[in-house]
Amino acid sequence: MSGDQREETARHGDGEREFEERVRALLADDAFTIQPSAAPYPAIRRLGVAERRRRVATVGAALVTLAVVPVGAAALTGPDGGGRAVSPAVSATPAQSPAPTPEPATPAGPAGPASDEQLLDGVTRESAAAMLEDCLASDLGSPLQDLGAPEEYRIVLGMGSTGDSNTPGDGRFVVAVRDEAPRTRVICNVKDGEVSGLNVGGVDMDLPDQGKVMPDVNAHKLYAQSFLDKGNWKLPFRWGSIGAVHPSVARVTVSYGDEEPRTAVLDHGWFVATGILDQQVTRAPHIKGYDAAGRQVYDSDQDKYYMADLP
């Protein structure tokens, strides 16, 4: 090989080595581009923690903003989807309203009578209510009849009772009525704090030929002593007379013995009269009724249901 050929070959070899080095350099650059160095995890984690804290702080600020929105503020959304809070004209802090005044408590137990004239001989509304409660709870009533609760009743009479040979010892009477169905009338006698007698009756104003006044068929328990003591009553004697009245009746009078007729108290469809008897009698109280014009509409002497003579 000539010298020129050897020189040409050497230049060619040097060129190949230079080209090879350049290719390797390019390949090294591409390899770094395709598979870069490992990411710095600690730095990225710090950035992530900082971002989460920023978001938490932002949400907390939003919650605080919502908490101070006045009561009654409305959120309105506009056509562009944006929202805005509209506060009412009233103050955000509600005014302190005065505490409501408590209403007087309704007394428990039965209602009282229409007039103080119906509570006699030291009987008060409270004592009459207590007696009625004991009477309704006693075992003297019929087990087949539900007498109800004291608050269902209205007291129409409370007075002293005179003992006789059949029921010795003085005591007190309480008379109460229940106007709601079933309409009920209770006559109860209490002696020494114990219920000694109980009579329960109904009220029927629709009997054939019944007058405008209907004396109670068991009212004799209030105005007569035992038939065993006929002609020998214990005097003076507190008596009472009760019964139902028609709404058209405006006045009722009751006379007993030699006493002058006295005007009875009208109490929500009932009449109540009382007095003191100083003499023995043989006839029941004489009862008359009058309308608003003063016309007589009832006379017990003409009532076929009324027992005018005492046994």
Side-chain angles (χ1 to χ4, degrees):
M1 179 181 297
S2 64
D4 292 338
Q5 290 178 334
R6 285 195 297 270
E7 184 179 354
E8 180 65 25
T9 301
R11 284 199 303 271
H12 181 72
D14 292 339
E16 288 180 352
R17 283 193 298 271
E18 183 180 354
F19 177 75
E20 183 178 350
E21 290 176 358
R22 291 183 61 187
V23 170
R24 287 177 179 177
L26 290 173
L27 288 176
D29 291 339
D30 291 341
F32 180 80
T33 303
I34 296 172
Q35 189 175 358
S37 301
Y41 173 74
I44 294 176
R45 182 178 181 278
R46 285 194 299 271
L47 290 175
V49 170
E51 178 64 17
R52 283 196 300 271
R53 289 177 178 174
R54 186 187 66 79
R55 292 180 180 178
V56 169
T58 303
V59 172
L63 291 176
V64 171
T65 303
L66 290 175
V68 298
V69 173
V71 175
L76 302 182
T77 303
D80 58 352
R84 59 190 179 91
V86 180
S87 301
V90 297
S91 171
T93 303
Q96 295 293 332
S97 16
T101 303
E103 297 182 359
T106 303
S115 169
D116 292 339
E117 300 175 30
Q118 296 161 250
L119 297 177
L120 306 161
D121 308 323
V123 177
T124 64
R125 176 174 174 176
E126 290 74 17
S127 63
M131 287 190 291
L132 177 62
E133 183 176 357
D134 291 341
C135 295
L136 297 179
S138 73
D139 55 2
L140 297 180
S142 170
L144 302 179
Q145 186 175 15
D146 180 14
L147 297 182
E151 55 266 24
E152 299 175 20
Y153 286 80
R154 182 164 44 83
I155 296 170
V156 296
L157 178 60
M159 69 178 196
S161 67
T162 302
D164 53 37
S165 59
N166 188 46
T167 56
D170 295 343
R172 290 178 172 180
F173 277 117
V174 60
V175 181
V177 296
R178 178 170 59 181
D179 296 323
E180 300 298 328
R183 295 186 68 188
T184 307
R185 187 271 303 128
V186 172
I187 299 176
C188 185
N189 189 216
V190 178
K191 296 182 179 182
D192 298 325
E194 299 291 335
V195 179
S196 64
L198 177 64
N199 179 267
V200 180
V203 180
D204 186 3
M205 291 292 292
D206 297 324
L207 293 175
D209 303 324
Q210 176 62 51
K212 299 296 184 182
V213 179
M214 182 179 175
D216 194 290
V217 295
N218 285 297
H220 64 274
K221 296 182 178 298
L222 302 173
Y223 60 72
Q225 295 185 30
S226 171
F227 69 93
L228 299 175
D229 298 320
K230 187 174 183 178
N232 191 30
W233 282 13
K234 182 179 178 180
L235 300 172
F237 172 58
R238 165 69 70 184
W239 62 269
S241 178
I242 62 172
V245 295
H246 191 272
S248 63
V249 175
R251 180 169 172 260
V252 172
T253 63
V254 180
S255 59
Y256 199 25
D258 292 337
E259 293 182 357
E260 291 294 323
R262 60 185 59 216
T263 301
V265 175
L266 298 184
D267 186 346
H268 298 81
W270 287 81
F271 77 87
V272 179
T274 64
I276 298 290
L277 200 64
D278 291 319
Q279 60 192 11
Q280 178 77 59
V281 294
T282 59
R283 289 182 62 83
H286 187 195
I287 304 168
K288 292 183 179 181
Y290 304 86
D291 63 14
R295 293 186 296 265
Q296 181 177 306
V297 295
Y298 176 82
D299 188 334
S300 60
D301 285 346
Q302 301 172 5
D303 186 348
K304 64 181 181 180
Y305 299 108
Y306 188 68
M307 295 179 60
D309 293 323
L310 295 177

